[in-house]
């Protein structure tokens, strides 16, 4: 009989969930600010730039949480790779925005939004215990008495 691997610690899972959700909210804010700027409210360009720095910092924290999930949390390594890919994409996005290369800045922004949304949904669905209906990250990693 093989032993089932223990689930990652709940604090790591919740950290990843909260950071991914906050990052996604920042990305959504970026899209809204860009839209308002594009319609003529030029003052929002500074807000867009400041929100980009904040959102990018959240993504680095998300990467740290994803690495902790993998090592030492003994969880999957794919979230760390996905977060690293988002870091690379978002770094290029920031540079393209600063250089005003909007022909690439806009579609990469849409890709970041889509990928961030998929990643965030994954963080909320991936660590549910199958069969028990319990959330592993909430500390329900012990068998139920029922």
């Amino acid at each position: 009989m093989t032993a089932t691997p223990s689930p990652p610690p709940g604090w790591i899972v919740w950290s990843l969930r909260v950071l991914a959700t906050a990052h996604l909210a920042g990305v959504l804010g970026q899209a809204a600010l860009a839209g308002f700027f594009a319609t003529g409210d030029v003052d929002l360009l500074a807000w867009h730039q400041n929100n980009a720095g904040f959102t990018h910092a959240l993504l680095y924290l998300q990467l740290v949480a994803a690495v902790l999930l993998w090592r030492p949390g003994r969880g999957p390594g794919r979230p760390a790779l996905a977060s690293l890919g988002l870091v690379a994409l978002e770094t290029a996005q920031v540079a393209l925005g600063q250089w005003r290369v909007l022909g690439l800045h806009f579609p990469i922004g849409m890709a970041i939004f889509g990928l961030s949304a998929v990643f965030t949904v994954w963080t909320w669905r991936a660590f549910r215990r199958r069969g028990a209906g319990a959330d592993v990250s909430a500390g329900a990693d012990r068998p139920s008495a029922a």
Side-chain angles (χ1 to χ4, degrees):
M1 187 158 92
T2 61
T4 59
S6 62
W11 69 270
I12 294 175
V13 173
W14 275 102
S15 297
L16 185 59
R17 286 175 173 169
V18 167
L19 289 165
T21 302
H23 176 257
L24 179 59
V27 170
L28 177 60
Q30 281 300 90
L33 290 168
F36 289 132
F37 169 71
T39 60
D41 193 345
V42 294
D43 294 335
L44 290 181
L45 182 60
W47 286 41
H48 182 73
Q49 184 177 6
N50 292 335
N51 189 56
F54 179 73
T55 302
H56 200 58
L58 284 172
L59 182 57
Y60 276 99
L61 293 174
Q62 175 186 307
L63 175 61
V64 169
V67 169
L68 287 174
L69 176 74
W70 175 46
R71 297 287 181 259
R74 288 181 267 166
R78 288 174 296 194
L81 287 174
S83 294
L84 184 61
L86 273 171
V87 165
L89 200 57
E90 208 166 277
T91 301
Q93 172 75 350
V94 168
L96 291 167
Q98 290 173 343
W99 298 332
R100 306 291 192 259
V101 182
L102 302 182
L104 292 175
H105 185 75
F106 288 163
I108 290 175
M110 291 186 299
I112 289 170
F113 182 79
L115 293 170
S116 297
V118 167
F119 185 86
T120 301
V121 168
W122 176 85
T123 65
W124 286 97
R125 296 187 68 165
F127 296 103
R128 299 240 177 231
R129 231 176 166 191
R130 298 205 186 347
D135 186 347
V136 170
S137 65
D141 52 327
R142 292 176 294 283
S144 63

